[in-house]
């Protein structure tokens, strides 16, 4: 239909009435566009009765079923009648329904009627039941539509009401202008937008649904890729201080003194980074390399090149422990080259300044002053601290360690608002599947370190299944004692700090899997806690060993003291939370016991075990769990034990994790413009869209000739961000 003057921006109220418009607002739907972009979650085939045995308890189900019998009963404690109904599917499986308004509905719900029922699946007296479900007999209009579209809905508005509104609106909507260029649509054989929107809501055949979805996925992929291409363009065109290598400078001196040879990968990535730093536009590079791949050296070499160029470098770590550790390892690597002005310092030496919240007021003031005056060549601190409080004389490079805790936005916040943008080097040990690299990190160039330095020992990982082999628990501790007796050290990792409610929060993790209920829906016992486990080990199986405790709730100076004691070998065993997950480097530790291992994400387990086997002695990681065999939890642990390929685990992790969390990092906490796009299923679309988007932006940087695409960017990342990219051009 054309010529009604109703378009995507039109308000809904005149079309659906005030009450419905208000109800739709509870779903964040206020315009025609928002309504037609509210896609069905799934479809119910009207021709078939829904398989009742396949329903899951707790599920919000919409099913087509036939009424087998119905009977009015008195309510026990109130006046009025209940209607008890039994509905069935083709196979004869049944589910009970209870309607509270028995008198009213008895005339429509009687034996033989086929209808759509929707409600929450529960159990009562050992039988499946729907309590007071939404109920709709097929009406005439339905007869001609083979599929019933099931919408995300809530208590204020039902799926069926949404469906009615959508149909009402589609009837009068002018066909929207298609934002995708003719060229893309033609080459990719995409349905046009108007048709796709109609078909996704009111499909006539299964093929319609696929074609419509495919087309709409393209919109989202293009929106994301355009936003990223624009973001890349916005940063790449900013001026930055060029820091070409300085022959005979600090970097050369460092390379000459390095006690090992760089791996081929370190060399190659180092060359890329050196070239980036020499340019007059900011570097934006992500270096990914498995734990122990040697990223610190790469970062340090970049920092030295910048210091040689007369500028400062900052290294940002996610935690204080890590920041302190980084400062120490940079100082160790630098040796005399890091001791400017100190006894034994080399002539061209620089300084590593540590800036953390645990510094005393005086030391902190001095550190801030050094950063501001330029006396500090390299400043190491936590993200928060440096971002908020530090002024630099001339910041040339920001290195961000362990990017996976970090979104696109935080990255932006780090860029100075000064005239010259600092170069940026992001390091992550979490391998990034290709689609994630193309989306969440799509504004960065990516380098990968694929090999570990020689002489590393393999880590053997074993699952310790207490459900079947309770006696193994004792063997775990015997193993720890053996390692210690051989002069090594061990970690014991627990999912949380303490047992009280206040400690219940899981520290230092952003993994949504953790703390989730088990597969069977039963709540688990509370997870193992550092503060409980440590004394028990001390009194029991590890009695006599020197045991330290480390977790996020310790005061920072205490954390630091514990870490140092462990590094110096003054502790045999460190009982810790995931604070040790990233970056902690104690080559003498050879053994890690992870308690309640099923509570951690796959990539996280991989990170954790990367803490052992960093020296020449072989490492062992024991994943202790009481989850029974043949559960998903156990399969995940077996996967970790079965491979040391971080990329493979990252992919599995992505499959298990709610993808929204990953894509969410693209957006500023607003309601997601991404409804259909999946990083797992749409790899091909995403990579094609990336190519198209880059072409379009190169050709039309302000998207002036592509207003439809500009609008698409707004739909995907929000209008504010769109404006930030487009209004400057
Ligand atoms: P990650 O990539 O996990 O940050 P690090 O940078 O901490 O790894 O390096 C791990 C260890 O390997 C450090 O002790 C570091 O000094 C050492 N290392 C780095 N590069 C090499 C190399 N090319 N040869 C030998 N050892 C190296
Ligand atoms: Mg590191």
């Amino acid at each position: 239909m054309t010529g009604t003057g109703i378009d995507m921006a039109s308000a809904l109220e005149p079309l659906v009435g005030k009450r419905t418009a208000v109800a739709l607002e509870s779903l964040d739907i206020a315009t025609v566009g928002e309504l037609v972009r509210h896609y069905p979650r799934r479809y119910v085939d009207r021709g078939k009765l829904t398989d009742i045995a396949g329903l899951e308890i707790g599920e919000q189900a919409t099913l087509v079923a036939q009424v087998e019998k119905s009977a009015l009963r008195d309510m026990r404690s109130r006046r009025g009648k209940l209607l008890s109904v039994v509905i069935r599917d083709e196979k004869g499986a049944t589910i009970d329904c209870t309607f509270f308004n028995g008198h009213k509905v008895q005339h429509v719900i009687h034996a033989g009627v086929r209808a759509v029922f929707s409600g929450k699946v529960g159990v009562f007296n050992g039988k499946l039941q729907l309590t007071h479900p939404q109920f709709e007999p097929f009406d005439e209009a339905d007869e001609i539509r083979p599929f019933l579209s099931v919408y995300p809905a809530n208590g204020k508005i039902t799926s069926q009401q949404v469906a009615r509104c959508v149909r009402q609106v589609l009837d009068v909507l002018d066909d929207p202008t298609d934002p995708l260029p003719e060229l893309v649509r033609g080459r990719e054989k995409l349905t046009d937008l108007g048709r796709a929107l109609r078909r996704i809501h009111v499909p006539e055949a299964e093929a319609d649904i696929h074609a419509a979805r495919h087309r709409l996925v393209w919109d989202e992929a293009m929106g994301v890729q355009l936003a990223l291409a624009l973001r890349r363009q916005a940063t790449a065109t900013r001026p930055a201080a060029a820091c070409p290598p300085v022959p005979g400078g600090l970097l050369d001196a460092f390379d000459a003194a390095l006690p090992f040879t760089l791996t081929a990968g370190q060399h190659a990535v180092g060359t890329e980074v050196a070239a980036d730093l020499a340019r007059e536009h900011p570097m934006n590079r992500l270096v990914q390399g498995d734990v122990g791949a040697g990223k610190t050296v790469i970062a340090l070499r970049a920092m030295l090149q910048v210091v040689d160029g007369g500028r400062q470098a900052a290294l940002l770590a996610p935690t204080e422990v890590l920041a302190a550790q980084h400062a120490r390892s940079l100082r160790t690597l630098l040796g005399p080259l890091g001791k400017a002005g100190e006894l034994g310092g080399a002539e061209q030496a620089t300084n590593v300044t540590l800036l953390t919240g645990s510094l005393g007021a005086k030391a902190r003031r001095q550190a801030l002053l050094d950063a501001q005056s330029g006396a500090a060549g390299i400043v190491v601190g936590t993200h928060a601290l440096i971002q908020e409080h530090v002024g630099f004389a001339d910041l040339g490079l920001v290195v961000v360690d362990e990017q996976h805790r970090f979104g696109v936005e935080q990255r932006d916040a780090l860029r100075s608002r000064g005239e010259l943008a600092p170069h940026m080097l992001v390091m992550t040990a979490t391998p990034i599947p290709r689609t994630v690299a193309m989306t969440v990190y799509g504004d960065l160039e990516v380098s990968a370190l694929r090999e570990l330095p020689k002489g590393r020992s393999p880590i053997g990982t074993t699952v310790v299944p207490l459900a079947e082999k309770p006696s193994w628990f004792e063997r775990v501790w015997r193993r720890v004692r053996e390692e210690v007796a051989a002069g090594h050290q061990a970690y014991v990792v627990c999912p949380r700090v303490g047992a009280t409610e206040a400690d219940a929060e899981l520290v230092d993790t952003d993994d949504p899997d953790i703390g989730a209920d088990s597969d069977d829906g039963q709540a688990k016992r509370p997870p193992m806690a550092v503060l409980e486990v440590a004394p028990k080990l001390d009194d029991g199986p590890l009695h006599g060993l020197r045991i330290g405790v480390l977790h996020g709730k310790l005061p920072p100076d205490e954390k630091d003291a514990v870490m140092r004691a462990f590094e110096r070998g003054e502790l045999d065993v460190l009982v810790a939370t995931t604070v040790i997950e990233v970056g902690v480097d104690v080559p003498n530790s050879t053994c890690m016991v992870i308690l309640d291992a099923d509570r951690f994400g796959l990539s996280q387990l991989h990170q954790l075990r990367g803490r052992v086997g960093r020296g020449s002695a072989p490492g062992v990681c024991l994943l202790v769990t009481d989850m029974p065999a043949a559960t998903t939890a156990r399969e995940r642990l077996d996967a970790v034990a079965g491979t040391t390929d971080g990329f493979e685990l990252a992919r599995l992790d992505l499959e298990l994790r709610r993808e929204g969390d990953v894509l969410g990092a693209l957006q500023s906490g607003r309601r997601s413009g991404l409804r259909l796009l999946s990083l797992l299923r749409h790899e091909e679309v995403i990579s094609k869209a990336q190519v198209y988007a880059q072409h379009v932006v190169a050709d039309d940087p302000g998207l002036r000739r592509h207003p439809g695409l500009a609008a698409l960017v707004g739909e995907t990342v929000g209008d504010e961000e769109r404006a930030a990219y487009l209004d400057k051009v």
Side-chain angles (χ1 to χ4, degrees), residues 295-296 322 326 401-402 427 582-583 614:
K295 295 182 292 294
T296 313
L322 254 181
H326 266 309
D401 194 18
E402 304 305 345
M427 304 194 294
V582 285
R614 293 171 81 83

Side-chain angles (χ1 to χ4, degrees), residues 369-403:
L369 218 60
D370 288 350
Q372 210 138 37
S373 68
I378 296 175
V379 178
V380 182
T382 53
H383 299 145
L385 203 65
I386 291 198
Q387 234 166 289
E388 283 158 31
H389 302 292
V390 185
F392 287 89
D394 192 354
L395 184 60
L397 169 68
V398 175
V399 180
V400 183
D401 194 18
E402 304 305 345
Q403 168 72 14

Side-chain angles (χ1 to χ4, degrees), residues 307-373:
V307 171
D308 274 338
R311 298 174 197 277
Q312 295 165 289
L315 171 57
L316 277 55
T319 65
E320 296 226 335
V321 174
L322 254 181
Q325 171 120 28
H326 266 309
R328 279 197 295 280
S329 55
L330 294 184
R331 283 180 189 137
T332 310
L333 281 166
L334 281 168
L337 295 173
K339 294 184 176 159
E342 282 177 53
L343 210 58
E347 200 185 315
Q348 69 222 111
T350 186
N351 258 320
V352 177
T353 303
L354 176 65
L355 194 62
T356 61
S358 49
L359 284 185
K362 200 170 146 219
R364 183 164 161 177
R365 212 166 23 243
Q366 188 59 48
L368 287 169
L369 218 60
D370 288 350
Q372 210 138 37
S373 68

